[in-house]
Amino acid sequence: MVDLRGQYLRLKEEIDAAVNDVLDSTRFIRGPFVTEFETALAKYTQVQHAIGVANGTDALQIAYMALGIGPGDEIITPSFTFISTAEAASLIGATPVFVDIDPKTFCLDPNRVESSITPRTKAIVPVHLFGHSADMDPILALGAKYNIAIIEDNAQAIGATYKGSKTGSLGTLACCSFFPSKNLGAYGDGGAILTSNTELEAQCRMITNHGGRHKYLNEVVGINSRLDALQAAILNVKLTHLDAFTESRRNAASLYNSLFEDIDEIICPYEADWGHHVYHQYVIRIQQRDELVDALSNSGIPHGIYYPVPLHQQPVFESQAHDLDLPETEKTCREVLALPMHTELTPSQQRRIADVVIAHATHLNHA
C-alpha cells in the first residue's frame, strides 16, 4: 500500500545528513531540531503555533485536555474514522457522540450535527478523512452559535485546503499524525497540535510536559508526550518535499480516475469544488466489495478496508451507541476499498491494479 523504502532512497542524502546532525549534537529531547520543525510546520499550515508531540492520538487527547474537556462532557465526531478520535475523549472521561457522514466526502455531515448538540457538548471534531476536507463553514458556524470548540482531526489531510485555506488552520485547534504511512510520515511515531490561540498553545505545551511550565513545578495534571528530535529532523526534510509528494498523489489519483471513468460499478473518490484532495488514501466504493478483495488477494495486489466496522458498532462503544442509526456510515463501511496510493506508485503498477479491478467489476455486471 505504501513504498517507504523507495521514498527514503529518493531522499537518502538529505535524510541521512539530518539524522547525523542530531546524533552529532546529542540534542535528542526538545531542543533546536524540534523548534525548527515546529516553526516550519506552523508556517506551512498557516497557523501561529505548532506543538510537536509523541503521536496523533496524544495530540487529540492533549487538545481535549487543553480545552478542559473531561468527565460528563461530550464531543461530536463521525463514526466513520479511526478509533483515536473517540478513544482520546474516552481516556479523559468524556463521551464521544457519533454522527453520520456525507457519503461523497466520507466526512462529518454538517446537516446532521446540530441535532446532536446538548448542554454537555464541548467540542465538534470533524475528521478530514483520506485527504479530503470536511465542509467546515457550517461546522464553524455551529461552533460560534453554541460557543463550542472546533477541533480538526487533520491526521490524514496535511496539505489539503478548504476554500483556499489549509486544513488545520480553520478550527480552535487541530491535530496531526506523522505515522510513517501518512503523507508527511516520520520514521517512527510522531504528531503535532496546531493553533493560532496563544493561550491554548501555552496550555498544550504545559500538558505535554507533565503539566508544568518549569522543571519540577507542576500546575496541572499532564502527560509526557514529546516529538523526538530525530523524528523532527526527518520531518523537517520531508516537509520541504510535501507539495511535490501531494502532486504525485494527485497525479496517481487522476490516472486511477481515468482508468475507471467508464466503469459504472466503481465510484471514484469525490473532490468538492471547495476542496483540494491530497489522497492519503485512494478509496473507491463498489458493491460486493468482498469479492473484489478476494480477486486482488489472488492477484497479489495490496489493498485495505478503511474502515470495516464503524465506531458506533465497536464493542468498546456498544453500551452507549447500540441504538444509533447511521445509515450512510454503515453502507460506506460495506462498500469502501482502498487501492495502493503513495509517492512512488508508477503508471504501469496502476494499470495492473486497474485491470484486476475492472475485470472484477465487469464480471459483476454480467453475472
Side-chain angles (χ1 to χ4, degrees):
M1 293 293 287
V2 296
D3 183 3
L4 298 179
R5 179 164 178 77
Q7 189 186 78
Y8 164 64
L9 292 176
R10 180 147 56 109
L11 305 178
K12 186 178 189 306
E13 186 174 341
E14 292 178 78
I15 295 288
D16 289 358
V19 170
N20 285 330
D21 285 346
V22 178
L23 296 177
D24 286 341
S25 76
T26 65
R27 300 289 298 275
F28 301 126
I29 302 296
R30 303 192 187 277
F33 300 99
V34 175
T35 300
E36 183 180 359
F37 173 65
E38 289 177 338
T39 301
L41 180 64
K43 181 178 179 181
Y44 181 84
T45 53
Q46 301 173 342
V47 298
Q48 294 299 310
H49 310 288
I51 305 105
V53 297
N55 55 68
T57 307
D58 277 5
L60 287 159
Q61 181 178 339
I62 293 160
Y64 299 157
M65 292 171 71
L67 290 167
I69 297 172
D73 295 332
E74 296 174 350
I75 67 150
I76 291 174
T77 187
S79 178
F80 186 62
T81 184
F82 187 61
I83 195 170
S84 289
T85 317
E87 177 185 45
S90 297
L91 284 168
I92 57 173
T95 300
V97 174
F98 300 115
V99 172
D100 217 347
I101 58 167
D102 176 337
K104 290 184 177 180
T105 65
F106 299 130
C107 298
L108 189 67
D109 185 343
N111 298 314
R112 301 175 186 267
V113 172
E114 190 165 18
S115 62
S116 294
I117 294 174
T118 75
R120 295 182 298 279
T121 305
K122 294 299 188 292
I124 302 170
V125 189
V127 180
H128 305 309
L129 201 69
F130 303 148
H132 193 287
S133 172
D135 188 1
M136 290 299 294
D137 278 352
I139 295 172
L140 293 167
L142 287 172
K145 179 179 178 180
Y146 292 97
N147 193 28
I148 296 170
I150 307 300
I151 304 173
E152 297 173 77
D153 186 331
N154 201 38
Q156 298 185 8
I158 189 165
T161 62
Y162 175 76
K163 297 185 178 180
S165 296
K166 289 282 178 66
T167 56
S169 70
L170 301 160
T172 314
L173 292 156
C175 301
C176 300
S177 168
F178 305 127
F179 188 78
S181 63
K182 294 294 193 291
N183 292 32
L184 181 63
Y187 291 168
D189 270 320
I193 303 162
L194 309 174
T195 187
S196 290
N197 184 309
T198 299
E199 291 182 6
L200 284 175
E201 182 238 359
Q203 189 74 4
C204 287
R205 288 197 184 280
M206 183 165 61
I207 291 168
T208 68
N209 189 37
H210 298 284
R213 304 171 200 264
H214 307 288
K215 196 170 185 179
Y216 305 131
L217 185 63
N218 310 93
E219 301 173 44
V220 299
V221 174
I223 64 174
N224 177 28
S225 183
R226 298 179 289 227
L227 178 63
D228 185 272
L230 283 165
Q231 302 302 340
I234 291 165
L235 289 165
N236 210 30
V237 169
K238 295 181 78 173
L239 183 60
T240 65
H241 296 274
L242 182 55
D243 286 342
F245 292 165
T246 297
E247 184 178 1
S248 295
R249 288 174 177 272
R250 286 181 60 84
N251 288 340
S254 180
L255 178 55
Y256 272 139
N257 290 345
S258 67
L259 292 169
F260 296 141
E261 64 182 349
D262 296 325
I263 311 301
D264 293 337
E265 292 78 11
I266 298 170
I267 300 175
C268 294
Y270 173 79
E271 183 177 53
D273 56 8
W274 40 254
H276 181 78
H277 205 316
V278 296
Y279 292 99
H280 171 59
Q281 301 289 353
Y282 184 89
V283 178
I284 64 171
R285 298 183 68 144
I286 185 169
Q287 294 185 14
Q288 296 179 271
R289 185 263 320 278
D290 294 344
E291 288 86 343
L292 176 54
V293 166
D294 291 340
L296 291 169
S297 297
N298 292 336
S299 298
I301 293 174
H303 51 276
I305 299 174
Y306 312 114
Y307 298 95
V309 181
L311 296 189
H312 71 283
Q313 293 181 344
Q314 294 285 349
V316 67
F317 296 123
E318 184 178 9
S319 62
Q320 69 191 58
H322 67 278
D323 58 346
L324 273 183
D325 180 26
L326 304 180
E328 295 296 348
T329 293
E330 292 168 21
K331 185 173 187 290
T332 298
C333 286
R334 294 192 297 269
E335 295 180 356
V336 289
L337 181 67
L339 302 178
M341 170 55 71
H342 53 82
T343 58
E344 313 307 301
L345 199 60
T346 66
S348 62
Q349 289 173 329
Q350 288 188 261
R351 290 189 178 94
R352 177 172 176 258
I353 294 162
D355 284 345
V356 176
V357 175
I358 291 168
H360 174 74
T362 304
H363 172 73
L364 286 178
N365 192 38
H366 291 125

